[in-house]
């Protein structure tokens, strides 16, 4: 049986109190939604689940009332492999590289997604020149955009550039503009959404605006155009300028206004109007309609002003064309 004296981090200890009844693996998975049932079963097989000091190794046994202790090992960073994945390079020098990332590509390897990421592509393109500050699995990564969000990202090739860019992001000295297509239109047509973002208390796999805890988040938005009836738009094109950069920030903030990104599978609760739904299907947009369109900053090494822009990708451009006909 694994012990706390192993390499497990202190934060890797979970204590769960079960009322008893039902399969123990299912009961634990329901009590810990951040872990799948398969993950719970794997921990049991490794001797990392116990009750009263005795290992619980068979997930099919009935859950007995009491406290269960789970030792969660820290993630092991896999050594990413270079892959010849085409990149659209908007700017590059010896210190950093700016990429126009397509939707569907994750930023860096993660459990269950060890290949086909931007890091894999960068390792092929840049060799071993990427900054090591991000760690083995995330070389050069200074900031992230979601896998299904397209657009501009900057990656550091030297540690000095990494530190400089990180300072700019921390000080909010980066100009970041996103284009979103929303269900309905935010009101007023121009404003600021401000509110802390943290893990949702109802679904640990989602982010949410929270009253306590979380991290301060600010999004400035402007409705650029609306589609459908003027008095009650069916959809809108919205420009969002980030003051902070939190996980799923724009998606959470727009959803809080009742105007989520079209196509958002996580935060887009409710169905869009029939004509908008038809436009989404015709545009073959199978992701959130969100695109990182502008990234501007002062080069941390040579002081040059860098501003990179990315046009709407084909799926979002087609969606706008179809929405404009409503």
């Amino acid at each position: 049986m694994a012990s706390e004296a192993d390499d497990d981090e202190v934060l890797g200890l979970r204590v769960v109190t079960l009322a008893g009844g039902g399969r123990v693996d299912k009961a634990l998975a329901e009590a810990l939604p951040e872990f799948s049932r398969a993950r719970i079963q794997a921990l049991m097989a490794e001797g990392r689940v116990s009750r009263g000091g005795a290992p619980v190794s068979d997930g099919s046994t009935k859950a007995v009332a009491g406290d269960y202790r789970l030792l969660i090992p820290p993630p092991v960073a896999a050594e990413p492999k270079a892959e010849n994945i085409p990149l659209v390079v908007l700017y590059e020098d010896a210190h950093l590289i700016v990429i126009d990332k397509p939707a569907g590509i994750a930023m860096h390897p993660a459990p269950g997604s060890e290949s086909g990421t931007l890091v894999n592509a960068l390792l092929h393109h840049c060799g071993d020149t990427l900054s090591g500050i991000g760690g083995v699995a995330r070389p050069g990564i200074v900031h992230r955009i979601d896998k299904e969000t397209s657009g501009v990202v900057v990656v550091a090739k030297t540690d000095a550039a990494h530190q400089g860019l990180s300072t700019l992001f921390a000080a909010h000295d980066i100009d970041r503009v996103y284009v979103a297509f929303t269900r309905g239109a935010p009101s007023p047509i121009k404003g600021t959404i401000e509110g802390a973002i943290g893990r949702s208390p109802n679904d640990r796999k989602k982010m949410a605006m929270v009253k306590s805890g979380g991290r301060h988040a600010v999004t400035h938005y402007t409705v650029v155009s609306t589609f459908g009836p003027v008095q009650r738009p069916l959809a809108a094109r919205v420009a969002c300028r980030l003051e902070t950069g939190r996980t799923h920030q724009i998606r959470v903030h727009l959803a809080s206004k009742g105007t989520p990104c079209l196509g958002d599978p996580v935060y887009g609760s409710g169905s869009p109007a029939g004509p908008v739904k038809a436009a989404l299907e015709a545009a073959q947009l199978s992701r959130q309609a969100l695109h990182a369109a502008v990234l501007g900053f002062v080069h941390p090494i040579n002081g040059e002003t860098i501003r990179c822009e990315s046009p709407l990708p084909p799926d979002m451009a087609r969606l706008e064309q179809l929405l404009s006909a409503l």
Side-chain angles (χ1 to χ4, degrees), residues 93-96 158-162 164-165 168 298-304:
D93 62 17
H95 307 284
L96 55 85
T158 65
D159 289 354
H162 200 299
L165 287 168
L168 291 175
V298 174
H299 196 295
I301 305 301
N302 62 28
E304 179 185 354

Side-chain angles (χ1 to χ4, degrees), residues 25 28 35 52 74 79-80 101 105 115 123 140 143 165 192 196 199 206 234 237 242 251 261 275 291 298 308 325:
D25 57 355
L28 287 171
F35 297 108
E79 188 79 40
K101 185 188 84 68
I105 292 185
S115 63
L123 287 171
H143 70 122
L165 287 168
T192 296
R199 289 288 172 187
K206 296 174 61 175
L234 301 180
R237 173 172 174 154
L242 290 183
R251 297 164 65 189
C261 291
H291 178 68
V298 174
C308 294

Side-chain angles (χ1 to χ4, degrees), residues 141-260:
I141 300 300
V142 182
H143 70 122
R144 293 179 291 175
I145 61 177
D146 297 334
K147 178 179 179 179
E148 297 301 338
T149 296
S150 52
V152 191
V153 293
V154 60
V155 176
K157 296 171 70 174
T158 65
D159 289 354
H162 200 299
Q163 292 171 333
L165 287 168
S166 295
T167 299
L168 291 175
F169 275 99
H172 314 310
D173 285 338
I174 299 279
D175 187 21
R176 284 177 287 175
V177 181
Y178 287 68
V179 173
F181 288 95
T182 62
R183 189 186 74 207
S187 180
I189 61 171
K190 186 175 183 178
T192 296
I193 308 171
E194 188 169 358
I197 292 178
R199 289 288 172 187
S200 168
N202 302 316
D203 185 345
R204 300 298 294 175
K205 295 181 180 180
K206 296 174 61 175
M207 307 302 288
M209 292 181 69
V210 294
K211 294 182 178 179
S212 61
R215 302 180 69 187
H216 180 63
V218 181
T219 303
H220 306 286
Y221 74 88
T222 301
V223 176
V224 177
S225 54
T226 61
F227 309 101
V230 175
Q231 298 302 319
R232 193 172 182 181
L234 301 180
R237 173 172 174 154
V238 182
C240 297
R241 176 168 268 106
L242 290 183
E243 185 172 313
T244 58
R246 311 305 182 202
T247 301
H248 298 176
Q249 177 174 317
I250 292 174
R251 297 164 65 189
V252 170
H253 273 174
L254 287 176
S256 76
K257 298 281 288 183
T259 55

Side-chain angles (χ1 to χ4, degrees), residues 85 126 180 196 204:
I85 301 171
C126 303
R204 300 298 294 175

Side-chain angles (χ1 to χ4, degrees), residues 113-132:
S113 179
E114 286 80 15
S115 63
T117 72
L118 186 63
V119 162
N120 297 112
L122 287 166
L123 287 171
H124 182 273
H125 180 86
C126 303
D128 58 0
T129 64
L130 295 177
S131 166

Side-chain angles (χ1 to χ4, degrees), residues 51 60 76 80-81 103 105 135 138 161 165 184 186 198 206 218 249 282 284 305:
R51 177 184 172 279
S60 66
V76 178
K81 296 181 179 179
I105 292 185
R138 305 179 184 183
L165 287 168
K206 296 174 61 175
V218 181
Q249 177 174 317
Q284 297 183 330
T305 298

Side-chain angles (χ1 to χ4, degrees), residues 65-81:
D67 291 342
Y68 289 77
R69 294 166 65 85
L70 296 84
L71 291 174
I72 315 299
V76 178
E79 188 79 40
K81 296 181 179 179

